[in-house]
Amino acid sequence: MTPPVRFEDYEQLTFTRREHGVLLITIDRPEKYNAADEGMHAELARVWRDVDADPETSVAVITGAGKAFSAGGDLAWVERMAGDYDRVQAMLKEAGELVYNIIDCEKPIVSAINGVAVGAGTVVALLADVAIAAEDARIGDGHVRLGVAAGDHAAIIWPLLAGMAKARYYLLTGEMVTGAEAERLGMVAKALPRDEVLDEALRVAEVLATGSRSAIRLTKKALNNWLRAAGPTFDQSLAYEALTFMGPDVVEGHTALREKRAPRFPSAAP
């Protein structure tokens, strides 16, 4: 017999059950703008297996507590990882699980992007089956600004959603895109005023929860073959991310962030 899912064991994600099997998941570290540390990264990676296994859940909605969806990786965690092979290897494994667990989850996932989404937050925000963003939300992948190759989710989803030209632009520059612009580019399904985002996400979730479960889940499974086909590209990007975490640029990147100054990357020196 499959053991019961224990959502109460999570420490940085909170769960609210709603009608029709809709499970609202809240990234709950508002004092840090929901930035991901080791604990949260691990929870975001495994929660989709639990959602998939939970007989009481038909659709999951994920949002952030407070003003942010998730403001990237906690800087202290980045500092601990830089140059540490074992920590980087663990991060690499979890980053792959985070992406593939979302793709393989049979149940629909709706993201309510209520504010800034960076790093692991962007993974969940953009890989959700339906993404609804605040018009003024800021979404991005800041790896290159840290001195690290864009891994996480970038290579598997940005070119598919935004097209290669825009994907190259945003991933190579590290610039952010607003929710309104993300809708225009096709990166999210809808962009709305911030105070309407969660309500709309829950409305969409109810539509999915009360529809034909087999039809919706199998449609999701077929569509996600586009992402599975890009798996080798994604795996390579993760390896490059791990490689650059072992180099000198990431040390300068996190130091510059801590000191609130422009980085002077060793690889950019004349």
Side-chain angles (χ1 to χ4, degrees):
M1 180 179 294
T2 302
V5 175
R6 294 181 55 84
F7 289 119
E8 63 270 23
D9 290 343
Y10 284 78
E11 296 181 354
Q12 298 193 47
L13 303 178
T14 57
F15 302 84
T16 305
R17 293 196 183 276
R18 301 178 65 92
E19 290 184 335
H20 309 298
V22 173
L23 180 68
L24 175 60
I25 306 170
T26 303
I27 306 171
D28 198 5
R29 201 185 180 208
E31 72 283 359
K32 294 287 188 179
Y33 295 96
N34 303 321
D37 60 6
E38 294 99 320
M40 183 185 292
H41 196 260
E43 290 188 356
L44 284 172
R46 82 171 190 265
V47 69
W48 310 110
R49 291 198 303 266
D50 284 343
V51 165
D52 203 38
D54 181 33
E56 296 182 37
T57 297
S58 56
V59 180
V61 176
I62 185 162
T63 193
K67 297 180 179 180
F69 185 81
S70 179
D74 185 282
L75 190 56
W77 180 35
V78 173
E79 292 171 343
R80 288 191 290 272
M81 272 195 297
D84 187 319
Y85 177 81
D86 290 336
R87 288 182 188 273
V88 171
Q89 189 176 45
M91 179 274 294
L92 178 70
K93 181 177 184 295
E94 276 183 2
E97 290 173 348
L98 172 53
V99 168
Y100 287 123
N101 287 346
I102 292 175
I103 292 171
D104 292 338
C105 179
E106 290 190 356
K107 297 169 184 178
I109 301 166
V110 180
S111 61
I113 310 167
N114 57 305
V116 63
V118 186
T122 314
V123 179
V124 178
L126 296 185
L127 281 172
D129 302 296
V130 179
I132 298 170
E135 293 168 334
D136 61 349
R138 297 171 67 245
I139 303 166
D141 186 295
H143 281 79
V144 295
R145 292 192 170 190
L146 186 62
V148 176
D152 282 1
H153 69 301
I156 200 170
I157 193 67
W158 281 69
L160 187 60
L161 296 179
M164 186 60 77
K166 289 294 187 181
R168 284 170 171 160
Y169 178 80
Y170 285 110
L171 297 177
L172 294 176
T173 65
E175 292 183 11
M176 306 280 277
V177 59
T178 65
E181 178 68 1
E183 182 188 33
R184 191 188 72 80
L185 293 173
M187 297 177 67
V188 300
K190 294 185 177 184
L192 301 169
R194 187 179 292 238
D195 61 359
E196 299 177 17
V197 169
L198 182 56
D199 286 344
E200 177 63 8
L202 291 169
R203 184 196 70 80
V204 172
E206 185 170 351
V207 170
L208 296 172
T210 55
S212 168
R213 292 189 179 181
S214 59
I216 290 169
R217 291 178 184 181
L218 290 174
T219 298
K220 167 179 176 165
K221 187 172 185 177
L223 289 171
N224 277 354
N225 280 329
W226 287 97
L227 300 178
R228 293 185 182 93
T233 298
F234 169 62
D235 294 342
Q236 184 178 17
S237 76
L238 282 182
Y240 287 163
E241 180 183 9
L243 178 64
T244 46
F245 255 108
M246 301 303 295
D249 277 4
V250 68
V251 177
E252 170 58 16
H254 71 64
T255 301
L257 279 174
R258 180 73 73 188
E259 296 176 356
K260 298 181 179 180
R261 60 170 174 80
R264 298 183 290 270
F265 292 120
S267 66

